[in-house]
Amino acid sequence: MTVGMSFNQLSEEEKMTHFLDRINAGEKIEPDDWMPEDYRLQLIRLISMHGISEIMGALPEKEWVPKAPSLHRKLAIMAKVQDEMGHGQLLLRVAEDLMAPLGKNRHDIMEDLFSGKLKFHNVFHMDAPTWGDAGIIAWLVDGAAIISQSMMLDSSYGPYARALKRICAEEVFHAQHGESIILAMAEGTPEQRDMLQDSLNRWWESLIMFFGPKSAKETGNSNADKNIMYKIRTKTNEDLRQEFFTKYIPRIWSLGLTIPDDTIRFDEDTQMWIYKDADWSKFKQIVSGNGPQSQNRLDLRRRSYKNNEWVRAALAAKKVI
Ligand SMILES: CC(C)(COP(=O)(O)OP(=O)(O)OC[C@H]1O[C@@H](n2cnc3c(N)ncnc32)[C@H](O)[C@@H]1OP(=O)(O)O)[C@@H](O)C(=O)NCCC(=O)NCCSC(=O)Cc1ccccc1
């Protein structure tokens, strides 16, 4: 920047260069800083989806709170459900700050969820019919979430990076809770092992989908490519999926469980896992609200939002929110 010149006098191109210099130097962008519109929109897209997924993600395990097999398990799963809701609240606050200059707030996020404009993660549209599913969600879905979120701990957007520090620390506790359920079932009766294997079979394709489709790296124009350029994230969807395989496939095999994909293997030449890809047309259907539990869970969220209207009105009258 020329000495004596204020930031506002710069052309849009010069502002962009200044912004990219800042993020390339590892500086954090804060809510009141100048940011390109595209950066703001990418953050809103990612963080509002992440936040709402945490909230919708509490619902499959919430179903297991009354049915947990012991008091110890009930306390742990209840704490996890509360944590996930807390993560959602934290992230929606971050998204709200980004949306405020566009004249939007949390109500718009909820309306977008109810109208289907704002999608939530594929895994939370699925059934969780047995205790094995509760174990797989905590062990492998949280395990996948830790992998995808840890890559953003040093995200260029300060408020997101700071929120993720707390979220990732809590997700580690969740994954340990899941591992404990899985180990107990894997060492249990033949019926418990069968239940666990059934759950893994049911969840495997959803776990492949969790990281999103392979990004269109060639075009350089996918969300992942843009977000890598903006230093919001550091890895592509496929990098994350491969990391997940490397971490969890040996653990799954060591428990004597089988992965429902007889093509899966590590290729020494490419140092990549070869696997059967997910059905991405099915993924599109699921995330568009046509998964087995999509509408039930959306209805539950809709009802609770409506029932709590009076709380929001009371807080707004007191100017608390
Ligand atoms: C890496 C990725 C997952 C995907 O990369 P992106 O750059 O976003 O995507 P990309 O452009 O490659 O995809 C093209 C289109 O596909 C969409 N899409 C992609 N994947 C999914 C999907 N799985 N499900 C549904 N849609 C998906 C994507 O939005 C885009 O749609 P658009 O074109 O915009 O309409 C990213 O969202 C991320 O890092 N999120 C932050 C962390 C986070 O959200 N964590 C998880 C939740 S919390 C958790 O799990 C903890 C927990 C555990 C247990 C219980 C309770 C809670």
Side-chain angles (χ1 to χ4, degrees), residues 115 176 220 234 267:
S115 71
Q176 286 167 349
T234 50
D267 184 58

Side-chain angles (χ1 to χ4, degrees), residues 50 268 299:
H50 184 178
E268 292 291 343
D299 279 351

Side-chain angles (χ1 to χ4, degrees), residues 45-46 49-50 53-54 57-58 61 80 84 119-122 124 137 141-142 145 148-149 151-152 160 171 209-213 215 223-224 227 233 237 240 283 287:
R45 185 187 72 81
L46 183 76
M49 186 195 171
H50 184 178
S53 297
E54 296 272 1
E61 283 163 296
K80 179 177 187 310
E84 307 297 8
K119 311 255 186 323
F120 59 98
H121 266 250
N122 67 294
F124 307 126
I137 294 173
V141 174
D142 278 86
S148 69
Q149 288 161 195
M151 71 152 170
M152 295 184 290
Y160 191 38
E171 304 287 23
M209 292 172 176
F210 181 95
F211 299 97
S215 57
N223 291 321
N227 291 344
R233 64 187 283 175
N237 296 353
L240 297 170
F283 166 85
V287 301

Side-chain angles (χ1 to χ4, degrees), residues 52 92 106-115 301 305:
I52 216 67
L92 293 188
R106 173 154 340 192
H107 182 68
D108 298 294
I109 298 182
M110 297 313 290
E111 287 302 324
D112 284 351
L113 171 71
F114 300 145
S115 71
R301 180 58 42 223
Y305 192 66

